[in-house]
């Protein structure tokens, strides 16, 4: 009897790329709010999802440094269960509901990529770095304080895809416009059978349910963000026409299911 | 209108992890034949697949150094479309048909991992190396010749998972027992919905159709192979109880579809 | 006029592997105290350095997650100026002075390796991970608290070389036996000229001067540590015959010079 | 008694980053000839080295995929002793001798970087890829033939630094202008002592002696080459103002010593 939530399924179930939910995350995030060109970004939405008319083209780019665990102390296997990720969320609507649509996501770890696909995040392999803040004060410490600077970058296959910088101005308890909408993504798995390459076996619009989301040490400031052009990528087409606030915060949350909003195969 | 054979689907379709089939491969392979303990390996087979009674526990471990292209010159993007892979194939049967069952596979590249999952290969991220042979003779060249030695290894998340060595003895035109059976694998994609974690949305036994398989520069010799124990992995449970021949060859092939043998969700 | 503290020297001096000192570091450290076999470890000392007779074989293994800056905001280039490092320090004496001798060190970054060699740390490339602690509480957060568990590992070229685990028991303000001795290392650069391969051009016993060392958030507890055997490495010969306390702390410090204790070329 | 040609010196001498010479190399090279702006490139030469007046600004960029061995079967440790490298050679003169000056070099492996520094190549960590050619014909094989296309790229810390493409036109037996000059480089190792940061302990102009150089399977064709701008790098300042021929060949050679041309510390 083979076991495992994902491939490879195996006699003990420990070889699987990721253990079954609930999945618990914690991490530090550097994020920048930006506006893309709505004439371009409207083309990145699946059927039924529309740009949010009240926030034409508003988006957030998040650089995430995170640690994962399921129910068996996975956080004690740091080589396998830490990841650094990059994700773009676009203000959109679905059937009148204000949502955050995820067109692109990157992670530096196979388990994180697999968990992403299962949730609907279209993850590719990317190398993500962000300036970290450390408890011991010093010239290299980048403490959370007024006028502190932090930077982040993301590259894939040796090409720089995103670069951000934030200058902190003040600590705050919560913010409108930051992770305050349900994230909607698309689970998609193609068929390989002859003649069926454009008939995916799974094509679902899903709402990613994020439980127990906790944001802490939240700072806001001024952001900078660029998406350099790169071959084999289209992130740059969402390139900022205007950049807004920058954010730095710590978070924790859990994921154990998702809700199917629509089956796009029909 | 979003395009792309896989996620991320995008306006131009160039951001997708992998272009649509046909997929063309070429590469060099170091392989070692071995026998595992059938009492153990019988547990690694899905419903309907059985160990081949005429070759109890016979398997082949392949270390592959390969280049990929689809129809748009992808081989000219070597940072993205080369990969090094490791795969185990186990002599088995399905409804009386002699097949090669793939319980474990690793690759060092996100596009290769994605193409693997679409075909049914249960790929995880692994770092794979093999001694290469170069055209210019010299002490480091490892030419294909009698008594030449070549080695290979595979590791994941910093743990050594497989190590092989081959001493070449003679060139040959073809071999019984090497890639002469259809490969059968399992396409599997889980549901994340509450209560459905053990009800995958895709669970198919598939025959991987490999077109135009060409083997060349085939050498046979003596093999060595070990699978060290590692946490979070079960490859070592297939550990050799006996090791047979070693092989070194170059290959090319194409993949454009697969045949569904059985829907395991029902 | 070429500029740069190290190679490559260039017109602007910005291509050099590392900017000139002062160098500032900050980071988080997981460390485990252990005892090796003095009959073995005595062989790892250069001329003039002896095991500390009052602490036969006592050593500390440190897993470091750190951020670097010089004087030009280098911490805002996180892809280049963060590193994860592993270092072993052995209780020793030099001319009666109690010192910490560094026989082995690993880092995951070329600039960190270069700075290491310049200071005398014999750094090789290694991949280092440690369980991190994050500000937002949650199942994955590994907070600094009684009974929290943290783990660390180091591998090089796909082989696991060190693995540690610490269970925290109490917070403390300072500790005897942890970074309270001057670190002594050996700057060594060989000659390639014919007949001179064993006559290094640089071979100095140096005291690494560490300025403004600040330790904070220091926790002590129980440690576990192993050094698995690996080919091409000798770290395992220092393998623990006994393991002592585990530590977790944050630090910052600066480095701008070193003191030459002895010229070993003469 | 500690052993080892380089750090870390150890009881058995097997932990050293690289075994002692002679060092044997073999590999495949994609190379492109180009001209940089002599007004700029003149600034990249050390004292005593001049641009070659007969070839103002002529240079070659080489992307190398190579295997190494010393005298103990190191090529059977492919995870450690293969490397992919990038090197620029600039037509220059030293005391009237026509030389190839090496201002920049990158490699993806710590042992290769160390061997580089010992020889005088100013290596940094870089990720290098080139289209490979495989023995089995097929759409992905990139055979050595008229009109075949091959590409190469190099990146460091997530930034693309060099990109090349070659279209082969004909096979040839040897070429003027390709590796037909002695390579001259600079061994340089700084002091860290206070007040001595600009007084290197080693600063030698050296001639890299390359023994038994064998070039084979040499093809020539048309080249393309760009050096994108990147922070923390100055390679782009050598950016092509004109691009010439492209080359693809296999090579083997040995290195066991170097000749000191000048001591630049005096």
């Amino acid at each position: 009897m083979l076991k495992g939530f994902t491939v490879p399924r195996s006699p003990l179930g420990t070889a699987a790329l990721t253990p079954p939910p609930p999945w618990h995350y914690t991490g530090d995030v550097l994020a920048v709010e930006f506006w893309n060109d709505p004439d371009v970004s409207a083309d990145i939405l699946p059927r039924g999802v529309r740009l949010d008319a009240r926030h034409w083209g508003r988006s957030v780019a998040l650089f995430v440094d995170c640690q994962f665990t399921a129910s068996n102390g996975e956080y004690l296997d740091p080589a396998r269960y830490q990841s650094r990720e990059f994700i773009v969320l676009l203000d959109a609507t679905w059937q009148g509901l204000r949502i955050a649509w995820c067109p692109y996501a990157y992670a530096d770890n196979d388990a994180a990529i697999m968990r992403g696909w299962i949730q609907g995040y279209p993850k590719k392999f990317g190398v993500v770095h962000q300036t970290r803040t450390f408890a011991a004060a010093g010239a290299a410490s980048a403490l959370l304080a007024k006028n502190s600077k932090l930077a982040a970058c993301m590259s894939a296959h040796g090409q720089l895809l995103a670069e951000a910088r934030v200058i902190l101005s003040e600590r705050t308890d919560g913010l409108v416009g930051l992770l305050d909408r349900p994230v909607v993504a698309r689970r998609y798995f193609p068929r390989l059978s002859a003649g069926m390459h454009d008939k995916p076996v799974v094509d679902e619009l899903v709402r990613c349910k994020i439980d127990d989301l906790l944001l802490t040490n939240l700072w806001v400031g001024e952001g900078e963000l660029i998406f350099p052009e790169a071959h084999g990528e289209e992130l740059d087409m969402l390139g900022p026409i205007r950049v807004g606030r920058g954010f730095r915060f710590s978070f924790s949350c859990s994921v154990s299911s998702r809700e199917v909003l629509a089956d796009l195969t029909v």
Side-chain angles (χ1 to χ4, degrees), chain A residues 6-95:
Chain A
T6 66
V7 294
R9 287 173 59 85
S10 58
L12 304 179
T14 60
L17 257 168
T18 190
W23 295 334
H24 308 287
Y25 297 89
T26 189
D28 293 329
V29 180
L30 197 79
V32 176
E33 159 183 67
F34 67 100
W35 283 263
N36 48 55
D37 181 345
D39 290 343
V40 174
S41 56
D43 286 340
I44 211 163
L45 303 176
R47 183 159 34 110
V49 177
R50 290 190 175 75
L51 289 183
D52 186 337
R54 283 166 297 190
H55 299 83
W56 269 140
R58 188 184 170 277
S59 305
V60 181
L62 302 106
F63 300 80
V64 186
D65 207 345
C66 83
Q67 187 159 278
F68 165 87
T69 204
S71 304
N72 286 299
E74 284 80 1
Y75 71 101
L76 295 175
D77 185 357
R80 200 186 301 262
Y81 289 117
Q82 291 180 358
S83 62
R84 294 186 278 195
E85 315 202 2
F86 171 85
I87 188 169
V88 173
L89 296 175
L90 189 57
D91 283 6
T93 62
W94 183 78
Q95 295 190 347

Side-chain angles (χ1 to χ4, degrees), chain A residues 125-138:
Chain A
F125 190 86
V127 177
V128 186
H129 292 275
Q130 63 172 282
T131 301
R132 290 177 54 189
T133 183
F134 289 92

